[in-house]
Amino acid sequence: MIILTVEQTKQWMKEIQKRMEENKEQLTALDQAIGDGDHGINMARGFNEVVNKIDDTDYDSVADVLKSAAMTLTAKVGGASGPLYGTAFLKMSMAMQDKEVNQQNFKAAIDAALAGIKMRGHAEFGEKTMYDVWYQVAEFLASENVEDWEEMIEACQATIEDTREMVATKGRASYLKERTLGHVDPGSMSSFYIFEALVAVIEVGD
């Protein structure tokens, strides 16, 4: 079963942009606690640029939409987030090249994104970064023939809560060490919104 078409992928980006804008202040507050304090502003601006780009462009494939998003995020989002999210979507695009996006191919694309985030951010699972949520999505897709995509969102939410109990070892947050305990990782939260947006689009498609 095809889970993403070109139009659905464009809609996914629009749903992400809407969530980043709506939750900009929350993401910024999370980042103020353990980071630079600009994550919400950067993510909202970045996906606004993505939507502006894809609205004016015709695409032949899902891979092309994701590549366009990747290039825009890398160019427009400051800090570590732009290169990390840009890498994730670029690796997804490469994995989906010349393929229909069924669940099997989508899982392969998420695996490729995960590997890209790991390489770019030198991240491992359990280090209180965006990698944790992408890892959880990959694990979910590996174990499920998905019939209820909401279950993936529930798995992501559980992972976000887990980041509260972790000590950050990567990025600016790592300088705060134990002071990062009790705080949700902002990259995990913005990743959650990306997959929440995806599920909203897939379920409408169903």
Side-chain angles (χ1 to χ4, degrees):
M1 184 181 79
I2 305 304
I3 61 172
L4 275 181
T5 63
V6 169
E7 281 309 309
Q8 282 177 307
T9 308
K10 292 175 81 167
Q11 189 59 39
W12 180 21
M13 296 300 126
K14 292 174 184 177
E15 290 288 334
I16 295 171
Q17 187 273 331
K18 185 168 73 174
R19 283 163 175 75
M20 295 304 176
E21 190 61 42
E22 288 171 352
N23 297 286
K24 179 167 60 178
E25 291 179 7
Q26 178 217 28
L27 291 171
T28 292
L30 291 175
D31 199 31
Q32 283 170 340
I34 61 172
D36 290 337
D38 58 0
H39 190 62
I41 296 163
N42 282 341
M43 295 304 290
R45 184 181 69 235
F47 278 98
N48 194 50
E49 294 281 358
V50 168
V51 169
N52 288 342
K53 169 72 174 171
I54 64 174
D55 258 352
D56 297 332
T57 310
D58 292 324
Y59 296 98
D60 294 327
S61 69
V62 170
D64 290 343
V65 182
L66 292 175
K67 182 179 180 181
S68 190
M71 297 304 186
T72 304
L73 290 171
T74 301
K76 301 293 185 180
V77 179
S81 299
L84 285 167
Y85 279 115
T87 295
F89 284 116
L90 184 61
K91 294 295 186 182
M92 289 183 73
S93 167
M94 292 164 67
M96 290 178 181
Q97 202 69 46
D98 302 321
K99 293 177 182 174
E100 293 183 326
V101 186
N102 56 25
Q103 187 180 324
Q104 182 180 3
N105 291 338
F106 185 73
K107 179 201 173 301
I110 292 293
D111 287 344
L114 189 67
I117 295 167
K118 181 173 185 172
M119 179 188 68
R120 171 74 70 155
H122 307 290
E124 298 287 347
F125 183 68
E127 292 186 327
K128 200 181 182 98
T129 70
M130 63 183 278
Y131 183 85
D132 292 340
V133 168
W134 289 75
Y135 180 92
Q136 189 61 58
V137 169
E139 285 290 292
F140 178 82
L141 292 173
S143 62
E144 299 282 338
N145 183 15
V146 182
E147 294 179 0
D148 182 0
W149 287 90
E150 288 291 336
E151 291 178 1
M152 187 173 81
I153 295 305
E154 290 167 11
C156 289
Q157 284 174 319
T159 300
I160 288 167
E161 285 306 310
D162 287 346
T163 68
R164 284 187 195 276
E165 309 310 318
M166 296 174 188
V167 174
T169 61
K170 290 288 183 289
R172 188 170 290 270
S174 65
Y175 300 132
L176 300 176
K177 297 186 171 65
E178 277 71 21
R179 283 160 56 196
T180 60
L181 280 169
H183 297 286
V184 167
D185 174 62
S188 293
M189 198 75 229
S190 58
S191 292
F192 168 77
Y193 291 131
I194 285 172
F195 291 112
E196 185 185 54
L198 173 70
V199 171
V201 170
I202 289 174
E203 290 194 333
V204 168
D206 288 347

